[in-house]
Amino acid sequence: MNFELTEEERVFRDELRRFFAANPPPRGEESAEYRRLLADHGWQTMHWPMEYGGQGASHFKQVVLKEEAFHHEVALGAAGPNLIGPTLIVHGSEEQRARHLPPIAAAEVVWCQGFSEPGAGSDLASLSTRAVRDGDEYVVNGQKIWTSNAHLAQWIFMLARTDPDAPKHRGISYLMVDMSSPGVTVRPLLQLTGHHGFNEVFFDDVRVPVANRVGEEDRGWYVATTTLDFERSGIERVLTADRDLGRLEDWWRESPSTFTSRPGAPSKRARVAELRVAVEVSRLLSYRVAWMQSRALVPNHEASMTKMYASDVGQWVAQLVVNAAGLAGNLRPEEPRAPQGGAPAMRYMDSVRLTIGQGTGEIQRNVIATRGLGLPRG
Ligand SMILES: Cc1cc2nc3c(=O)[nH]c(=O)nc-3n(C[C@H](O)[C@H](O)[C@H](O)COP(=O)(O)OP(=O)(O)OC[C@H]3O[C@@H](n4cnc5c(N)ncnc54)[C@H](O)[C@@H]3O)c2cc1C
């Protein structure tokens, strides 16, 4: 395994640095205009094959893009370029690709993922949203939950049960639904931090053309596993932990008395060192997944190790940051005495989600134990 960048990747990194320096992203809310500027360079979908408007970029090149974008606080597109786009490239019809891929590549459309339901998260195949065939349409009824960005999205890709009598993995179909269809209702779910990231989505007699089904009827589970495979690799979690720890290190260096005057400072300093090692290990685990992908190897328990460790490390770092800041570290940004503008408390609250989304820590441990270590199930 060699983690050094190639000459091409180094040149690309320098190009990105120059671009972000010359075109700083707007602060605050995500900007559609800026997303389109990145799309003009082909960066939203550079991992797609050339025949579908991508650049066939290597997995390491994508890591370079993600790292540079993160350092410059640039949000890259998520569900469209990374989940439904690649899924359509594998399983979609020519008509579906022709209709949906160009607007995703041009960052003209926002997609969301409607998989989880109140009774189906880790055990996704037990989902109960129903799609009943009526001529050239399905009539969809049911509820999705934790749907990120549903309040911003024009389209949702979702799973619905088309055969309730079949074994649970076999009676599911994969549908693309226009969010403006009559009968779709989006309700916000606010996070601890007050941020609005996800939602509940209700379907009441929503009519969906059969032409919007991806793959065969009742075989949607196999399409969904492709989507989930695209979801599992990712360096973003490592970068968040790296940034948060880096900010704590800077703060400690710049105002040492804030920390050294507090009880337990030496043990906290040692913890900073431990977590710096953990962040670097986490980064290498993530590089290993990209390295495997670039050799057409399929990361399985390796992707689970990366996800599990990076989300644990993210929470450990957030805990250390809030503890190191002392009691005032618990204050929210609206409190004038909150250190660092309330960032420690906000990061701590935000870190709770890390071990839940994209497969919980327990599910990742199950994968590592059974598929990685060969331990028996049950
Ligand atoms: C930030 C974030 C964004 C999300 N965005 C989306 C989205 O856009 N679209 C979408 O569809 N979903 C989304 N989700 C939902 C996410 O996929 C689910 O929360 C996740 O799959 C867990 O499902 P659950 O919440 O129903 O918990 P459950 O599956 O009910 O799990 C509850 C607890 O039981 C444990 N558990 C369950 N099964 C086992 C087992 N077999 N062995 C050991 N322990 C087990 C779990 O680890 C967990 O601790 C998002 C979640 C988060 C946190």
Side-chain angles (χ1 to χ4, degrees):
M1 225 175 297
N2 181 356
F3 294 135
E4 272 180 34
L5 298 185
T6 61
E7 184 55 25
E8 187 200 340
E9 287 157 358
R10 255 196 303 273
V11 168
F12 179 53
R13 187 186 57 195
D14 293 343
E15 180 192 344
L16 288 170
R17 286 184 180 167
R18 279 194 304 274
F19 173 85
F20 289 131
N23 303 280
R27 291 279 153 250
E29 279 302 293
E30 213 185 302
S31 146
E33 209 178 308
Y34 198 76
R35 248 198 339 256
R36 280 196 286 274
L37 181 62
L38 299 180
D40 287 346
H41 287 76
W43 291 333
Q44 296 281 7
T45 50
M46 69 175 197
H47 50 299
W48 291 7
M50 302 220 188
E51 60 197 291
Y52 296 111
Q55 301 171 8
S58 72
H59 291 272
F60 251 102
K61 209 165 165 186
Q62 291 171 55
V63 168
V64 171
L65 173 64
K66 285 179 183 171
E67 288 188 331
E68 291 307 318
F70 186 89
H71 290 318
H72 293 87
E73 300 187 32
V74 171
L76 296 170
N82 295 339
L83 301 180
I84 184 66
T87 302
L88 286 178
I89 289 171
V90 178
H91 295 285
S93 66
E94 275 313 316
E95 293 75 27
Q96 290 171 341
R97 290 178 190 147
R99 176 169 182 201
H100 292 293
L101 295 184
I104 294 174
E108 286 166 356
V109 62
V110 175
W111 282 78
C112 63
Q113 177 186 19
F115 283 10
S116 306
E117 298 185 2
S122 303
D123 183 14
L124 183 58
S126 60
L127 59 91
S128 58
T129 292
R130 284 280 278 127
V132 177
R133 184 87 177 242
D134 181 21
D136 288 342
E137 294 178 326
Y138 290 105
V139 181
V140 179
N141 280 286
Q143 183 198 342
K144 298 291 171 180
I145 196 167
W146 315 123
T147 321
S148 303
N149 294 331
H151 55 303
L152 306 173
Q154 291 87 38
W155 282 84
I156 184 169
F157 54 92
M158 61 163 320
L159 299 176
R161 191 164 297 287
T162 32
D163 182 354
D165 301 322
K168 65 179 180 179
H169 293 90
R170 301 238 176 100
I172 293 171
S173 296
Y174 192 116
L175 305 176
M176 300 183 288
V177 183
D178 185 334
M179 292 291 279
S180 65
S181 311
V184 177
T185 310
V186 177
R187 282 200 207 139
L189 288 169
L190 291 190
Q191 286 152 238
L192 270 178
T193 52
H195 179 69
H196 176 195
F198 35 51
N199 308 270
E200 295 176 288
V201 183
F202 296 87
F203 297 85
D204 294 301
D205 288 333
V206 177
R207 293 201 157 256
V208 181
V210 170
N212 286 7
R213 190 188 69 224
V214 185
E216 291 172 44
E217 187 167 89
D218 296 334
R219 306 278 294 168
W221 181 255
Y222 307 98
V223 184
T225 55
T226 304
T227 306
L228 294 173
D229 276 345
F230 286 120
E231 193 178 47
R232 285 195 310 173
S233 37
I235 183 138
E236 297 82 354
R237 298 177 207 96
V238 183
L239 296 174
T240 308
D242 184 24
R243 183 197 57 198
D244 291 348
L245 190 61
R247 283 184 182 160
L248 177 63
E249 290 158 1
D250 289 344
W251 186 15
W252 199 312
R253 274 186 225 106
E254 282 156 18
S255 57
S257 58
T258 312
F259 297 93
T260 42
S261 59
R262 292 209 182 105
S267 67
K268 285 188 186 120
R269 199 178 51 207
R271 185 72 177 142
V272 172
E274 275 170 5
L275 290 185
R276 175 47 65 195
V277 175
V279 166
E280 293 310 317
V281 170
S282 183
R283 190 194 313 275
L284 295 181
L285 286 172
S286 178
Y287 283 0
R288 178 171 69 155
V289 169
W291 178 84
M292 288 182 72
Q293 289 170 324
S294 61
R295 271 154 189 73
L297 301 168
V298 179
N300 180 271
H301 62 275
E302 295 88 349
S304 288
M305 284 171 69
T306 309
K307 201 281 163 174
M308 183 202 88
Y309 196 60
S311 45
D312 281 350
V313 171
Q315 289 185 343
W316 298 336
V317 168
Q319 280 162 16
L320 175 66
V321 171
V322 84
N323 279 333
L327 276 182
N330 294 295
L331 296 176
R332 299 178 68 106
E334 53 272 23
E335 286 283 342
R337 286 171 305 137
Q340 303 267 294
M346 296 301 269
R347 287 298 309 137
Y348 179 70
M349 288 188 282
D350 190 54
S351 72
V352 174
R353 70 186 165 86
L354 296 176
T355 49
I356 303 172
Q358 299 179 335
T360 67
E362 288 78 13
I363 296 300
Q364 307 301 343
R365 283 172 173 79
N366 284 346
V367 173
I368 298 163
T370 54
R371 297 201 203 155
L373 302 176
L375 300 183
R377 291 171 188 276

